[in-house]
Amino acid sequence: LGFGSLTPFVDTARKHDAGLFVLVATSNKEGPEVQEAVTGKGASVSATMLDHLRQLNADAEPLGSFGAVVGATLADDRGLDLAFNGPILAPGYGEQGGTTDDLRRIFDRQYAAVVGNPPYIVAKDAALNAAYRKKYASCHMKYSLGAPFTERFF
């Protein structure tokens, strides 16, 4: 159950000119049990996943479509080389406790693309809900705060 198990998904992504994200360093408390485990070659599972992503994105210009999930609430960057020529999805920012300072601390170098994971919550305050609806076209009918969050990214 290594990276090779993702081959059908990688092939499908390539066939449809799409991409995928691979879990590399999540910030859930049990993550390190697997992600920091050392392989027979002496590298952590996380580092090995990044090496595979680096290979998949090697010839991509300007940026590959195979990305890594790296939690925005990690205690540190776990010593990982996050330069793999692909996007980084950073869940945990905002409602889950990740801050802008956390993003700066974890991703202290410049990366071509770090994407926050949108919050899956709704605006319960009527005035705030109305303000979101006025400001963001994506806040139509029923919506989560992921809609304006994503709209702001693009």
Side-chain angles (χ1 to χ4, degrees):
L1 184 63
F3 197 86
S5 66
L6 298 176
T7 299
F9 302 100
V10 169
D11 292 345
T12 299
R14 284 183 167 149
K15 179 180 176 182
H16 296 282
D17 196 25
L20 60 88
F21 283 94
V22 176
L23 297 177
V24 169
T26 61
S27 47
N28 63 313
K29 64 182 180 180
E30 299 88 7
E33 291 177 13
V34 173
Q35 297 157 6
E36 293 181 9
V38 177
T39 69
K41 294 182 180 180
S44 71
V45 171
S46 291
T48 302
M49 295 300 107
L50 286 166
D51 285 343
H52 287 291
L53 290 170
R54 211 170 274 112
Q55 291 170 16
L56 288 174
N57 292 325
D59 297 325
E61 291 287 334
L63 185 70
S65 58
F66 298 98
V69 178
V70 179
T73 56
L74 291 175
D76 59 50
D77 68 4
R78 298 185 185 170
L80 297 170
D81 178 5
L82 297 174
F84 63 94
N85 194 36
I88 296 172
L89 177 64
Y93 180 77
E95 188 69 22
Q96 295 171 334
T99 65
T100 303
D101 287 340
D102 289 325
L103 293 177
R104 286 188 186 113
R105 178 179 46 78
I106 297 165
F107 308 108
D108 64 340
R109 297 172 295 239
Q110 278 195 322
Y111 294 98
V114 176
V115 180
N117 196 31
Y120 299 101
I121 56 175
V122 296
K124 294 179 182 175
D125 178 89
L128 189 56
N129 190 336
Y132 284 139
R133 287 182 187 280
K134 183 176 180 180
K135 186 170 182 172
Y136 299 104
S138 59
C139 297
H140 179 69
M141 299 183 70
K142 280 187 156 183
Y143 70 93
S144 78
L145 289 179
F149 185 91
T150 303
E151 185 176 330
R152 286 194 56 155
F153 270 4
F154 301 101

